[in-house]
Amino acid sequence: ARKAIEKGSIKEVGASGSLDIETVLELAPELIVGYTMDQTPGFVAVLSKAQIPTILFQDWQEQNPLGRTEWIKVMGVLLDKETEANTYFNQVVDNYERVKKIAQRAKTRPTVVSGAVYQDVWYVPGGKSWMATLFSDAQADYLFKDSDQTGSLALSVETVIEKANQAAFWIAPAQHTSWREMKSDQPAYTAIKAFTQKKVVTYALNKGPTGGVLYFEQAALRPDWVLSDLVYFLHPGIMTGYTPHFFNYTTP
């Protein structure tokens, strides 16, 4: 896709909330593939009048990591590449299950906290979320696993610190990349054991050639890589010869 963008064969038509309708009409696509977070975007009705069909993906609502990846089968049908899509999905499933079995050899289940503070609210993954499932499959004891939310939990800083002050690892502290930056941004972070012991693992350091965070670009299609990364950090030595794809320890 990146090469096609550079060649100009993929055109910029705006974001889902502010689609450049004129450009879309000029391109005259056979199909528009988009997504919606809540209500149907207004552009759907406009494109319908122009007889341009629209499909809205809901893959982000899947709580099972492999469930998100399985949406590639829809693209396989649309692009007449069902065999390739099924082969890709099966390979990801096989690798995910392989790594999950490796994680089950671990002798401990280290405690994990996640998320970060934004405008005085600490957002953590819900106990039924995509990320919580990955923590479980990586043999981690996610400290907010008992909540029923499939999205994020909005909690006070005090609530998180009270429950997670002894967490052994801090995974995915939002877009933070630096330990010093985190301390400056929110001094309360120093109350977390994982922070003081510098066991904070972030996805925000690995970026593509244009500065995009690779985790956001690829993780939904490579949950096996996400799981592998988590197992690598949570259970040192168990993933022999492995190099993480998305995660790294925060820099000083």
Side-chain angles (χ1 to χ4, degrees):
R2 178 59 55 191
K3 291 180 179 179
I5 291 172
E6 292 172 353
K7 290 180 179 179
S9 55
I10 292 181
K11 302 293 184 180
E12 172 68 49
V13 294
S16 60
S18 57
L19 202 64
D20 186 340
I21 299 297
E22 290 186 8
T23 299
V24 173
L25 294 177
E26 288 176 5
L27 292 171
E30 296 179 46
L31 177 70
I32 291 286
V33 177
Y35 74 96
T36 176
M37 299 298 289
D38 41 43
Q39 59 187 10
T40 302
F43 68 78
V44 173
V46 176
L47 295 176
S48 178
K49 290 181 180 179
Q51 297 186 327
I52 299 176
T54 303
I55 291 180
L56 297 177
F57 270 35
Q58 300 294 320
D59 56 313
W60 62 274
Q61 291 186 324
E62 300 280 357
Q63 283 82 60
N64 186 307
L66 293 171
R68 288 193 181 186
T69 310
E70 195 168 17
W71 279 74
I72 197 171
K73 293 181 179 180
V74 179
M75 294 304 297
V77 172
L78 295 175
L79 299 174
D80 195 24
K81 291 185 178 293
E82 291 181 70
T83 299
E84 292 90 334
N86 288 332
T87 298
Y88 177 89
F89 177 68
N90 291 335
Q91 288 174 343
V92 171
V93 171
D94 289 345
N95 195 41
Y96 189 99
E97 294 299 330
R98 180 186 66 83
V99 176
K100 186 176 176 180
K101 288 180 180 178
I102 291 175
Q104 290 170 355
R105 302 176 195 163
K107 297 180 180 179
T108 62
R109 290 178 64 92
T111 50
V112 168
V113 66
S114 188
V117 177
Y118 177 70
Q119 294 184 346
D120 298 324
V121 177
W122 195 317
Y123 294 93
V124 304
K128 306 299 181 186
S129 67
W130 184 80
M131 199 67 194
T133 300
L134 281 157
F135 287 148
S136 177
D137 289 345
Q139 296 298 305
D141 180 11
Y142 178 49
L143 294 172
F144 295 91
K145 61 183 180 294
D146 294 331
S147 66
D148 291 329
Q149 280 82 353
T150 58
S152 295
L153 281 171
L155 303 172
S156 69
V157 175
E158 294 76 15
T159 297
V160 176
I161 289 177
E162 180 180 359
K163 190 174 184 68
N165 63 84
Q166 292 300 306
F169 285 89
W170 187 342
I171 307 291
Q175 294 276 28
H176 289 300
T177 59
S178 162
W179 189 86
R180 293 181 187 276
E181 167 208 349
M182 291 179 67
K183 185 177 181 180
S184 175
D185 182 63
Q186 182 56 253
Y189 288 157
T190 58
I192 304 292
K193 178 181 177 181
F195 184 81
T196 60
Q197 295 190 349
K198 298 186 178 180
K199 289 188 176 180
V200 183
V201 183
T202 180
Y203 52 64
L205 282 168
N206 283 6
K207 298 180 179 180
T210 59
V213 176
L214 293 179
Y215 178 84
F216 292 133
E217 295 179 359
Q218 301 175 6
L221 287 175
R222 294 310 309 239
D224 55 328
W225 287 357
V226 179
L227 181 62
S228 297
D229 283 13
L230 294 177
V231 174
Y232 174 86
F233 285 102
L234 293 169
H235 309 290
I238 203 171
M239 294 288 290
T240 306
Y242 179 75
T243 300
H245 288 86
F246 302 121
F247 287 90
N248 290 284
Y249 280 115
T250 52
T251 62

